[in-house]
Amino acid sequence: MQSQCIFATQTPVGPPVEIIRHSFSANAKKTGKRVSLVTGLHGDELEGLYICHRLMGILKEREAQNALQGEVHVYPAANPQALDSGTRLWPFFSVDINRTFGENNTHSLATDLSKALLADLKSNSDLVVDFHASNLQLMELPQIRIIKDFEKKLVPLAQLCNVDLIWVHPHADIFESTLGTNLNQAKIPTLVIEAGICLRINKTYCEQIILGILNLLEQTGTLQCTEPRTDIKNPKLLQPHQVAMVQSPNAGLFVKSVEIGQALQKGDKIGDLIDSSQKQKEIIAPCSGLLFTLREYPTTGQGAPLARIAIEETS
Amino acid sequence: MKEKVLTLPTPFGAPLELYKNTWGNPNNEALALVSGLHGDHLQGIHLNLQLAQFLDSVVEGSHPDYTLKGQVISFPVVNLNAIQCGSRLAPADGMDMNLAFPGNPQGETTEALASAIITHTAECYWGLILQSAPPHYEDAPHIQTLQLDSSTKKLCRNLKLETVRQLKPSPAHKVTLAYQWQQHDILTAILSSGSPRTVNIQQCETLFQSIIHFMKAEGILKDRRKIKTNTTTKPHFYPPENDVSIFANTAGMFLKEVKVGTPIEKGQTIGEIRDLYSGKRLEEIIAPTEGFLLTLRQYPIVYEKEPLATLLTAKKSWRNILPWSK
């Protein structure tokens, strides 16, 4: 393993802020792809951090066994100060790094960081995986979200990653300043994995994704394949019309009655919403299907998402 | 007229209420004024309240020289949760209000507010966004635009501010209010001044006069007096390539020696950076070129590589270069 600092800035009080790339490479002739794994753009999303930690351990062993056929680059902490303080944003600047990518931003330390990261990924990757957990409010089943424009290229790769579902959704302007969109626009296929909830580690989900990434590395020829994996999930492929979102009809406290990953029937109770006048309203599933997003943080505003359901196709 | 345009319930208390002020004839072309997109941009809110007071007095007849001919719509306070918490972003979702446009009426609080602003301003002819500098900086009063076509230039000339800065296009601009207004063919300018969490009365007065001049020039406001102004403020239009950022090469405490809104000479000292432990001077910050000091670091603690100041430089005309013109 070789480690290289790709961005550094001195802080006023002590050690510098550094973004480190750890690289694992084939000793002999490289025939496989160069795959990059990025995590920690949002400092409160810790699943990716754990996944990368585990993968780095495995990759070290595999590198020693000469099992690498390509290159794997791991960027385990893309926003170090946010990770240190457990915040989504880079705390000193209140900036969401994943809204600063793109060629024409004005000067700030945050945009300098995003430029350095984007440039390094572009010059070292044939394929990128960007790990995210959900925000403070929602728990997500392991999934890969793909913008419709990149569906053809990304879905076959996403199917290798052992996630529960692949959600193809329409493009929105807000995505244009994200790492994933910028890399995909630069024709470097980039998968954005979303799993769990922020500030926590769901070990089951992490193990599931670790297996998926190893499978991805093997299937893309980056890592030698010892024997075919039989335990890889066949994810549900969802088009935009196959996702039902349940939004909160009012502000209040949402108390869930179900668990994520459950198969719901139309009319099933998802939970109760207690509003400020102490009125309680049942939240009901509008359709049958797989519950893949569920609100964990009870306080909710009007219009906030409470659940997402992968709509079950009726024959 | 103060009118409630949106009510959003909150989990535990009184609802959030979005208000707009309206003055003048609804059949005439309207000017929209929006401030408080970020909860710490108090300068714009102060400017908006100054304008509200003035327009109220015009409508009530306390200013007999003025008649309101057009319509003015103002939203003084938009990011209600952030303002209540004294923070830039709404703490519940951490969403940047000015990255939430055009919004969604069925969405979460930030999205619903953004949607309401678009809905209630979509028919306006002009739009002015009143803001402060980004966190940690101070801006000299100036105009920002996303484009510099002839209509926008006319708008800027009528605002009678000396400095007009065209912003570099960025993917994030597409979800800002300014961009979305442009998509609705609203002539748009951003008036930026001061620093977050503060109000600079002098800068507010400059911008207040600027907006009054604009309203008179565009016929929104009629002044019966035939006053000839002595000042002939001509704006300088600065394209993005005329921005010069001055960076910190060290980390520490930045002590400034200049003021925003002043001309800077090449080689002039902008300030210095001192080490937090020893107090030793680590670096003297020198202007690499002459220019107008548009933005200056306000918060003294700085990281290495951070921008400390932005100078706007003008291309010299051949008149300045030829020896016999001097």
Side-chain angles (χ1 to χ4, degrees):
Chain A
M1 181 184 83
Q2 288 189 328
S3 301
Q4 192 182 336
C5 175
I6 64 148
F7 177 86
T9 181
Q10 198 63 44
T11 67
V13 293
V17 173
E18 289 180 332
I19 298 186
I20 308 291
R21 166 172 32 87
H22 302 290
S23 300
F24 303 85
S25 179
N27 294 327
K29 194 182 167 194
K30 290 167 194 167
T31 52
K33 286 190 184 299
R34 300 170 304 160
V35 180
S36 292
L37 311 174
V38 185
T39 181
L41 275 174
H42 294 136
D44 58 355
E45 298 176 7
L46 307 177
E47 311 266 2
L49 210 65
Y50 177 68
I51 291 167
C52 282
H53 161 76
R54 288 284 316 281
L55 281 170
M56 282 172 66
I58 297 167
L59 288 167
K60 263 185 206 167
E61 282 176 20
R62 304 301 300 273
E63 193 178 40
Q65 295 161 353
N66 287 329
L68 275 157
Q69 293 169 320
E71 293 173 19
V72 184
H73 303 286
V74 185
Y75 304 72
N79 190 354
Q81 283 206 324
L83 283 160
D84 278 349
S85 53
T87 54
R88 178 181 173 87
L89 313 181
W90 188 342
F92 189 74
F93 305 102
S94 298
V95 168
D96 186 336
I97 300 290
N98 209 21
R99 299 289 179 273
T100 62
F101 289 93
E103 289 301 320
N104 297 298
N105 285 302
T106 48
H107 278 300
S108 73
L109 207 49
T111 55
D112 286 355
L113 183 154
S114 60
K115 274 179 195 160
L117 180 61
L118 187 63
D120 202 73
L121 283 163
K122 278 183 181 175
S123 57
N124 288 295
S125 318
D126 302 313
L127 169 64
V128 176
V129 183
D130 179 15
F131 296 96
H132 288 265
S134 188
N135 57 18
L136 181 67
Q137 285 89 19
L138 304 173
M139 172 70 92
E140 301 282 357
L141 270 190
Q143 60 195 268
I144 291 178
R145 295 180 182 176
I146 293 173
I147 295 173
K148 189 81 184 160
D149 310 357
F150 309 121
E151 178 182 9
K152 205 173 163 187
K153 203 176 223 179
L154 296 186
V155 166
L157 293 166
Q159 283 169 326
L160 302 172
C161 293
N162 200 31
V163 289
D164 288 271
L165 49 105
I166 299 166
W167 178 9
V168 179
H169 58 81
H171 176 78
D173 287 337
I174 191 70
F175 300 133
E176 289 194 19
S177 49
T178 63
L179 176 65
T181 301
N182 276 274
L183 284 168
N184 277 314
Q185 281 171 343
K187 304 208 181 307
I188 297 171
T190 299
L191 300 170
V192 179
I193 296 189
E194 186 112 15
I197 191 164
C198 79
L199 295 173
R200 299 286 182 274
I201 288 174
N202 182 316
K203 224 175 155 189
T204 312
Y205 291 170
C206 289
E207 297 297 341
Q208 181 183 334
I209 294 170
I210 289 165
L211 200 62
I213 298 301
L214 289 173
N215 186 52
L216 177 76
L217 294 175
E218 288 166 358
Q219 298 299 320
T220 53
T222 310
L223 198 60
Q224 221 170 55
C225 185
T226 43
E227 55 189 74
R229 293 180 187 274
T230 52
D231 45 0
I232 299 300
K233 287 189 177 191
N234 184 23
K236 274 182 188 292
L237 179 60
L238 301 174
Q239 293 297 328
H241 69 277
Q242 293 171 304
V243 175
M245 179 150 88
V246 182
Q247 289 174 281
S248 184
N250 203 342
L253 276 180
F254 171 69
V255 184
K256 64 176 184 176
S257 313
V258 287
E259 290 302 328
I260 194 158
Q262 253 180 260
L264 297 178
Q265 295 301 313
K266 185 178 177 179
D268 280 355
K269 182 178 167 180
I270 297 175
D272 289 302
L273 183 72
I274 306 156
D275 69 19
S276 57
S277 61
Q278 301 302 313
K279 278 184 195 154
Q280 195 162 320
K281 182 182 167 59
E282 280 194 355
I283 305 296
I284 300 296
C287 57
S288 301
L290 174 71
L291 181 69
F292 72 92
T293 305
L294 182 63
R295 190 168 194 89
E296 286 287 327
Y297 186 71
T299 304
T300 178
Q302 182 177 286
L306 300 177
R308 289 193 197 97
I309 300 166
I311 300 169
E312 195 174 278
E313 299 286 322
T314 48
S315 52
Chain B
M1 183 181 71
K2 184 182 168 190
E3 182 191 352
K4 195 194 299 177
V5 296
L6 184 68
T7 303
L8 295 167
T10 61
F12 306 113
L16 287 178
E17 293 173 340
L18 179 68
Y19 289 93
K20 77 169 176 179
N21 290 322
T22 312
W23 301 268
N25 187 342
N27 299 318
N28 291 346
E29 284 171 339
L31 163 68
L33 294 158
V34 172
S35 56
L37 288 174
H38 292 126
D40 57 357
H41 284 193
L42 308 181
Q43 190 111 314
I45 297 174
H46 184 269
L47 184 54
N48 233 333
L49 68 87
Q50 261 183 296
L51 286 161
Q53 209 175 4
F54 170 76
L55 290 167
D56 275 345
S57 64
V58 169
V59 171
E60 287 161 6
S62 310
H63 274 295
D65 296 326
Y66 288 115
T67 312
L68 191 60
K69 293 286 187 185
Q71 193 189 26
V72 181
I73 295 169
S74 89
F75 285 91
V77 176
V78 180
N79 199 342
L80 304 158
N81 275 327
I83 289 160
Q84 291 198 117
C85 299
S87 55
R88 174 179 169 82
L89 311 176
D93 57 13
M95 270 179 81
D96 189 328
M97 176 94 226
N98 207 19
L99 294 178
F101 288 93
N104 173 6
Q106 270 82 50
E108 296 187 64
T109 304
T110 307
E111 297 168 299
L113 289 167
S115 170
I117 297 297
I118 294 291
T119 303
H120 287 271
T121 56
E123 300 302 319
C124 290
Y125 189 78
W126 306 274
L128 298 178
I129 297 161
L130 314 177
Q131 67 171 37
S132 305
H136 309 330
Y137 293 92
E138 182 185 8
D139 272 352
H142 72 284
I143 302 167
Q144 295 176 357
T145 64
L146 297 182
Q147 59 187 36
L148 269 183
D149 56 3
S150 57
S151 305
T152 312
K153 280 185 173 174
K154 181 177 173 252
L155 181 155
C156 296
R157 284 191 193 99
N158 287 336
L159 278 163
K160 281 228 168 213
L161 283 176
E162 279 185 2
T163 312
V164 182
R165 181 194 194 192
Q166 186 186 3
L167 299 175
K168 279 184 190 177
S170 138
H173 281 158
K174 288 190 176 177
V175 283
T176 64
L177 176 57
Y179 184 90
Q180 292 298 325
W181 268 355
Q182 284 190 350
Q183 299 305 298
H184 283 82
D185 293 325
I186 298 171
L187 282 173
T188 301
I190 302 159
L191 300 185
S192 189
S193 68
S195 53
R197 307 183 71 85
T198 60
V199 173
N200 181 320
I201 298 293
Q202 202 181 339
Q203 289 181 345
C204 284
E205 183 58 26
T206 303
L207 294 178
F208 176 74
Q209 293 303 334
S210 159
I211 295 171
I212 297 296
H213 191 277
F214 169 78
M215 289 198 287
K216 290 198 288 189
E218 294 287 4
I220 301 166
L221 189 67
K222 188 179 176 187
D223 187 349
R224 289 193 190 83
R225 299 166 296 176
K226 302 288 178 196
I227 303 169
K228 278 193 176 175
T229 50
N230 293 327
T231 52
T232 52
T233 311
K234 277 190 180 174
H236 296 282
F237 295 99
Y238 295 95
E241 57 270 22
N242 287 26
D243 286 14
V244 175
S245 296
I246 303 172
F247 296 95
N249 293 312
T250 51
M253 181 171 278
F254 170 65
L255 303 170
K256 61 186 177 183
E257 289 187 20
V258 287
K259 282 185 176 175
V260 291
T262 57
I264 299 292
E265 294 297 322
K266 183 179 178 179
Q268 189 176 338
T269 303
I270 302 289
E272 61 181 16
I273 296 177
R274 289 193 174 264
D275 181 73
L276 291 190
Y277 297 100
S278 66
K280 280 184 186 159
R281 184 152 98 169
L282 299 171
E283 188 185 357
E284 187 180 11
I285 309 297
I286 302 290
T289 180
E290 65 176 20
F292 175 77
L293 184 60
L294 183 81
T295 303
L296 183 64
R297 181 72 169 201
Q298 185 74 9
Y299 186 71
I301 301 295
V302 295
Y303 283 57
E304 179 201 6
K305 296 178 186 169
E306 270 201 274
L308 299 174
T310 304
L311 290 175
L312 297 180
T313 59
K315 276 185 189 163
K316 284 191 173 170
S317 105
W318 58 271
R319 287 191 180 84
N320 300 112
I321 298 164
L322 297 173
W324 56 83
S325 304
K326 287 181 180 170

